[in-house]
Amino acid sequence: MQNRIIIIDDNQLIRESLRMILQSAGKYVIVSTYSNCEDAIANLERDAPDIVLIDIQLPGISGIEGTTLIRKKLPNCIILIITVSEDSSQVFKSLSAGASGYIIKTASLDTIKKSIEEALAGGAPMSLSISKMVVESFQKQNDSPLSDRESQVLQYISEGKSYSKIADELFISKETVKTHIKNIYRKLEVVSKEDAIRVANKNKWVQNTH
Amino acid sequence: MQNRIIIIDDNQLIRESLRMILQSAGKYVIVSTYSNCEDAIANLERDAPDIVLIDIQLPGISGIEGTTLIRKKLPNCIILIITVSEDSSQVFKSLSAGASGYIIKTASLDTIKKSIEEALAGGAPMSLSISKMVVESFQKQNDSPLSDRESQVLQYISEGKSYSKIADELFISKETVKTHIKNIYRKLEVVSKEDAIRVANKNKWVQNTH
DNA sequence: GAAATATCCCCCATAATGGGTGATATAAAA
DNA sequence: TTTTATATCACCCATTATGGGGGATATTTC
């Protein structure tokens, strides 16, 4: 059976190029192409796509919001972002929104076809630089101004643990925890738990609990 | 200049196979091979590797702990995990520990050589299934028993925000926030902030702030 | 020998938390 | 249509948590 694909991109040239490339492969049916999310979403049920290729910069609803909306309607649909830039915040936002992979607009025709096949095979197609970015998001940074013990305490704080709980788990007194936290706040120049967590996350000084 | 590689694997056959493959490429010098982490770490300064290939299951210090220790001594060294299994918790732990990529033991010789080249080029070599796993870790699940509002409140809780702060940001009263939290605790069958965050993270009902 | 670190103690006040028991209005589902 | 879920808000209550201030000691590191 042929896979149903829809393409959402405000650039007609790109829409038509993608259509050509994919149709020539013979494995796909390009059921529709759209220049904006609104139209695409209105026809989602009728189109019933297996794969959506969506641009990130779109007039009106953005590609990221669009990804969220499409996944809400069709949870099993594979969404691949077509993009020119490799901006990290955009990448993370679209992955969080439910995109499965990234296709760089300047990629070769072969690479694009391969990306779609990888997605269908259950993979997560993306360029080397993007996968590197994603992997780095897992890695704790070593440039924290905090001591080992302070980092540890902050890690626990970021997990929502109370002072008493931290004290128990580290076999130290609650007062010691308080002292560490005072020093953490001083070093990070913050005055609250929330800000400390925000700064730590921003700088990847704590590990996300995946 | 040739890149310096060390190999840590308790299986002699694999050590020697990897040595052969890589030496034949001509671009690499295999400075040493070890059957355990302890010996490798003892000789790190002398070996000064650019790339470390390390098995995940090792006698004594595990590959994951080893990755942490090696990165502490040589922060710019690229560490690639050699593994047979694609267990998600192991994958995340080693990425968090600082590994850059994953090489599957059963991969073809060509794939292995290519992985090392990708790593040197600044990429994050890993199999399709592993990259999929990593991408999925970004994606919020939709199977939460919580209502939209409750999920939103829990998201804020997981960011360390206080009831008052949440109330302010959502333009609702503190009492309403409390009610939502009571309902969240009831639905998740927990009695504390910490447990709620743990359950939510485990099920990916909240988004990590990357 | 000074600086950083890790540990602990006291005081103090306020803020935050969580359990209970309500209420109201709306929307969705049975 | 009646029930259920949701979202909103209120008051009572007690305990815990938080954060700022001060100080202390021992070890390690530079």
Side-chain angles (χ1 to χ4, degrees), chain B residues 147 149 172-173 175-176 179-180 187:
Chain B
S147 71
R149 198 51 148 179
I172 56 180
S173 98
E175 288 301 325
T176 307
T179 307
H180 287 313
K187 287 188 184 175

Side-chain angles (χ1 to χ4, degrees), chain A residues 3-154:
Chain A
N3 288 292
R4 302 172 67 82
I5 301 185
I6 67 170
I7 299 169
I8 313 174
D9 196 309
D10 58 343
N11 184 322
Q12 199 200 343
L13 184 61
I14 291 184
R15 281 203 304 277
E16 292 312 316
S17 312
L18 283 172
R19 181 204 282 279
M20 297 275 220
I21 298 166
L22 297 173
Q23 249 163 4
S24 71
K27 299 182 199 164
Y28 313 108
V29 191
I30 314 300
V31 286
S32 300
T33 66
Y34 300 96
S35 62
N36 62 73
C37 268
E38 288 82 344
D39 292 348
I41 289 168
N43 295 304
L44 260 192
E45 269 91 359
R46 197 202 57 201
D47 289 344
D50 303 302
I51 300 179
V52 176
L53 305 182
I54 184 170
D55 189 15
I56 217 161
Q57 288 114 355
L58 286 171
I61 298 179
S62 76
I64 290 171
E65 292 168 88
T67 300
T68 308
L69 295 170
I70 293 169
R71 273 195 73 92
K72 219 162 193 169
K73 285 204 172 183
L74 301 177
N76 297 316
C77 179
I78 296 169
I79 301 172
L80 299 180
I81 305 285
I82 319 163
T83 185
V84 277
S85 76
E86 302 190 1
D87 173 48
S88 71
S89 83
Q90 298 282 295
V91 170
F92 293 148
K93 277 183 195 155
S94 37
L95 291 180
S96 300
S100 295
Y102 254 81
I103 294 176
I104 306 294
K105 273 187 184 169
T106 54
S108 70
L109 308 188
D110 254 14
T111 309
I112 293 175
K113 274 196 253 180
K114 221 171 117 194
S115 294
I116 292 173
E117 274 156 34
E118 284 181 4
L120 284 169
M126 52 182 66
S127 72
L128 278 179
S129 53
I130 286 180
S131 64
K132 178 77 177 174
M133 200 184 284
V134 171
V135 164
E136 272 168 2
S137 81
F138 277 81
Q139 295 173 2
K140 207 169 145 187
Q141 288 302 117
N142 294 328
D143 59 351
S144 162
L146 306 179
S147 71
D148 285 355
R149 197 54 147 178
E150 285 160 358
S151 304
Q152 195 175 18
V153 170
L154 184 53

Side-chain angles (χ1 to χ4, degrees), chain B:
Chain B
M1 199 192 114
Q2 287 185 318
N3 287 290
R4 303 172 65 83
I5 300 185
I6 67 170
I7 299 168
I8 313 174
D9 196 308
D10 59 343
N11 184 322
Q12 200 199 345
L13 183 62
I14 291 184
R15 281 204 305 276
E16 293 311 316
S17 313
L18 284 171
R19 182 204 282 279
M20 297 276 222
I21 298 166
L22 297 172
Q23 250 164 3
S24 73
K27 298 182 199 163
Y28 313 109
V29 191
I30 315 300
V31 286
S32 301
T33 66
Y34 299 96
S35 62
N36 63 74
C37 267
E38 286 82 345
D39 292 347
I41 290 169
N43 295 304
L44 260 191
E45 270 92 357
R46 198 201 58 200
D47 289 344
D50 303 302
I51 300 178
V52 175
L53 305 183
I54 184 170
D55 188 15
I56 217 162
Q57 288 114 353
L58 285 171
I61 299 178
S62 77
I64 291 170
E65 291 168 87
T67 300
T68 308
L69 295 170
I70 293 169
R71 273 193 73 91
K72 220 164 194 172
K73 285 205 172 182
L74 301 177
N76 297 316
C77 180
I78 297 169
I79 301 172
L80 299 179
I81 305 286
I82 320 162
T83 185
V84 278
S85 77
E86 301 190 1
D87 172 49
S88 71
S89 82
Q90 297 281 295
V91 170
F92 294 149
K93 277 183 196 156
S94 37
L95 292 180
S96 299
S100 295
Y102 254 81
I103 295 176
I104 306 294
K105 273 188 185 167
T106 53
S108 70
L109 308 188
D110 254 12
T111 308
I112 293 176
K113 275 197 251 181
K114 219 170 119 196
S115 295
I116 292 174
E117 274 155 35
E118 284 181 3
L120 284 169
M126 50 181 68
S127 72
L128 279 178
S129 53
I130 287 180
S131 65
K132 178 77 176 175
M133 201 184 283
V134 172
V135 163
E136 272 168 2
S137 81
F138 277 81
Q139 296 173 1
K140 209 169 144 184
Q141 289 300 119
N142 294 329
D143 57 352
S144 161
L146 305 179
S147 71
D148 285 355
R149 198 51 148 179
E150 286 160 356
S151 304
Q152 196 175 16
V153 170
L154 184 53
Q155 174 71 42
Y156 284 176
I157 288 287
S158 78
E159 289 165 11
K161 293 191 163 84
S162 71
Y163 291 12
S164 341
K165 188 69 185 292
I166 298 172
D168 282 355
E169 297 202 3
L170 295 180
F171 303 104
I172 56 180
S173 98
K174 202 190 295 188
E175 288 301 325
T176 307
V177 176
K178 271 183 62 175
T179 307
H180 287 313
I181 289 170
K182 282 178 206 170
N183 291 331
I184 291 169
Y185 286 6
R186 182 178 43 77
K187 287 188 184 175
L188 303 189
E189 297 176 71
V190 296
V191 288
S192 72
K193 198 191 293 198
E194 192 203 335
D195 287 339
I197 295 177
R198 223 199 37 252
V199 172
N201 271 319
K202 199 175 151 195
N203 295 290
K204 287 188 214 319
W205 292 333
V206 290
Q207 266 176 239
N208 279 320
T209 49
H210 291 279

